[in-house]
Amino acid sequence: QVQLQESGPGLVRPSETLSLTCTVSGGTIRSYYWNWIRQPPGTGLEWIGSIDYSGNTNYSPSLKSRVSMSLDTSKKQLSLRLTSVTAADAALYFCARTGDYVTSYLAWGAPRTAPLFFDLWGRGTLVTVSS
Amino acid sequence: QSVLTQPPSASGTPGQSVTISCSGTSSNIGSNHVFWYQQLPGTAPKLFIYGDDQRPSRVPDRFSGSKSGTSASLAISGLRSEDEADYYCAAWDDTLSGPVFGGGTKLTVL
């Protein structure tokens, strides 16, 4: 059974860098996209970015200037760095997997697939921003 | 402010049916699949509907998804107390080149 576990310091000072890690256990990290999503207290979900096995990244335009993600394939760990944090960055941070699913079959029997966004989530780690 | 628009709350009594709406634009719902997530209090979200109307095997058939144009809906029939949760819709946005979420709907079972 694949599980995701986020970890990192629960407290970050304003203007400093937030660093989190997500460890994937019980399964492969190949053939998936790995995401960071956050949820400020009492509010909704915000996608931060994603990375694939080859290290290709895609970041939310609103956070692109401050965020970077990396993937350690040997340790099966996904990392997030968010620079120059403010109180607005205080949130529950989740890592989540994007897989795919079959939508139809082509004439010669090959499957056509589409992204299966966030089919697996970690429990999340709470980050507070305070001096 | 979320890209997709959901009502902040919905409610119903046990056994009733409830529908939660999700409104978007041609760059997201209008041209891509919709996903729904259930978030029980104090837990991480779980995928409940994918591909507009497909249910993972663990999701009861009381839950159904639909889409028309730039709007989608999550319908819950035979409401139960354990359905009380926050529900979020999501879809890929071609303009933003990333997935976007609705603001979430808090479902209360009275």
Side-chain angles (χ1 to χ4, degrees), chain A residues 39 43-45 47 58 61 94 101 103 115-119 121-122, chain B residues 33 35 37 39 44-45 47 50-51 88 92 96-99 101 103:
Chain A
Q39 184 173 33
T43 66
L45 302 167
W47 176 75
N58 182 24
F94 296 100
Y101 67 101
T103 59
L116 186 63
F117 287 107
F118 319 137
D119 63 338
W121 297 65
Chain B
H33 287 144
F35 298 75
Y37 303 87
Q39 186 176 30
L47 177 65
Y50 65 96
Y88 293 90
W92 181 267
L96 298 175
S97 295
F101 287 98

Side-chain angles (χ1 to χ4, degrees), chain B residues 45-68:
Chain B
K46 285 185 178 178
L47 177 65
F48 245 55
I49 297 288
Y50 65 96
D52 300 336
D53 57 9
Q54 304 298 303
R55 280 180 293 105
S57 57
R58 56 175 167 72
V59 174
D61 59 6
R62 300 185 295 106
F63 291 81
S64 63
S66 63
K67 186 176 82 172
S68 177

Side-chain angles (χ1 to χ4, degrees), chain B residues 1-75:
Chain B
Q1 190 164 350
S2 303
V3 175
L4 306 181
T5 301
Q6 297 180 237
S9 63
S11 63
T13 58
Q16 277 190 331
S17 296
V18 170
T19 298
I20 298 172
S21 63
C22 176
S23 177
T25 67
S26 57
S27 70
N28 42 64
I29 293 179
S31 53
N32 296 290
H33 287 144
V34 177
F35 298 75
W36 290 91
Y37 303 87
Q38 180 196 62
Q39 186 176 30
L40 296 170
T43 69
K46 285 185 178 178
L47 177 65
F48 245 55
I49 297 288
Y50 65 96
D52 300 336
D53 57 9
Q54 304 298 303
R55 280 180 293 105
S57 57
R58 56 175 167 72
V59 174
D61 59 6
R62 300 185 295 106
F63 291 81
S64 63
S66 63
K67 186 176 82 172
S68 177
T70 59
S71 292
S73 295
L74 174 68

